[in-house]
Amino acid sequence: KNEVEQSPQNLTAQEGEFITINCSYSVGISALHWLQQHPGGGIVSLFMLSSGKKKHGRLIATINIQEKHSSLHITASHPRDSAVYICAVPLNSNSGYALNFGKGTSLLVTP
Amino acid sequence: DGGITQSPKYLFRKEGQNVTLSCEQNLNHDAMYWYRQDPGQGLRLIYYSQIVNDFQKGDIAEGYSVSREKKESFPLTVTSAQKNPTAFYLCASKRDVYYTFGSGTRLTVV
């Protein structure tokens, strides 16, 4: 099974700070997903990436396939960024390519 | 707009009662999944289905049942055999490499 580890587990930042969340996985993958979960539970897909870097607004996701590591960066953080950020990788065909999720990083951005 | 609808958002049931959580998608996705989330834990796979009339157990299927009679629908029944049913339940679907997520149902059993 492809184990997914995220760090840190909890993160508090002041508005405007640059934030980095890390994700490591154990088995080579075709793509890695970054997701956002707001209080109340709804999950939104932020990025799917298989190589290099992707940027969307103030969010940047990078992946290093050789090191089996990905990072999610938030530039100029804002209180509305407060949420749980989750990294996920697909399992293999034996599990119907279901996603295996990390435990998430709970981010609180204070004004 | 296409998406996944989970209903209800919050559900309360008495201990010993079966309860069915709804998951409907209009994305024409073949694969659908049910996950459970407990506080401080990652989402764990309960059941998945890759085609109509076929489904497979995930890591924590005990105490749950599903059906896939239509491509659009993948309901999850939490039976009285599930020892700790209080949790957040998430439905997802997939086509090719693209996943879509529902908004979840928070089940509380009292």
Side-chain angles (χ1 to χ4, degrees), chain B residues 3 18 27 38 41 46-47 54 58-59 62 67-68 71 96 103 105 107:
Chain B
N18 290 358
L27 300 162
D38 295 284
Q41 298 291 321
I46 305 173
Y47 267 99
D54 186 59
D59 298 325
E62 185 176 349
S67 64
R68 187 86 186 275
K71 192 174 189 178
D96 298 328
S103 56
T105 292
L107 173 65

Side-chain angles (χ1 to χ4, degrees), chain B residues 19 27 34 51 59-60 65 99:
Chain B
V19 59
L27 300 162
W34 274 106
I51 55 172
D59 298 325
I60 55 166
S65 66
Y99 295 82

Side-chain angles (χ1 to χ4, degrees), chain A:
Chain A
K1 185 174 180 177
N2 204 345
E3 301 297 332
V4 180
E5 297 288 337
Q6 282 187 242
S7 64
Q9 189 174 348
N10 296 287
L11 185 54
T12 300
Q14 284 214 309
E15 183 173 356
E17 285 186 8
F18 181 83
I19 289 163
T20 295
I21 299 169
N22 296 299
C23 175
S24 296
Y25 51 94
S26 57
V27 178
I29 55 170
S30 56
L32 178 142
H33 299 257
W34 280 104
L35 311 163
Q36 181 190 55
Q37 184 175 28
H38 275 286
I43 287 187
V44 175
S45 180
L46 297 175
F47 294 104
M48 181 182 67
L49 66 165
S50 54
S51 65
K53 179 167 95 172
K54 284 191 175 180
K55 184 174 190 288
H56 185 254
R58 295 179 295 103
L59 300 178
I60 303 167
T62 64
I63 189 167
N64 185 318
I65 296 295
Q66 287 72 31
E67 295 187 4
K68 298 186 178 65
H69 180 269
S70 177
S71 294
L72 177 68
H73 307 284
I74 305 175
T75 62
S77 60
H78 189 276
R80 65 174 174 267
D81 296 326
S82 298
V84 176
Y85 292 85
I86 303 171
C87 168
V89 298
L91 295 168
N92 59 23
S93 59
N94 290 340
S95 296
Y97 300 103
L99 288 174
N100 189 33
F101 296 84
K103 292 185 179 180
T105 295
S106 182
L107 171 65
L108 176 64
V109 181
T110 59

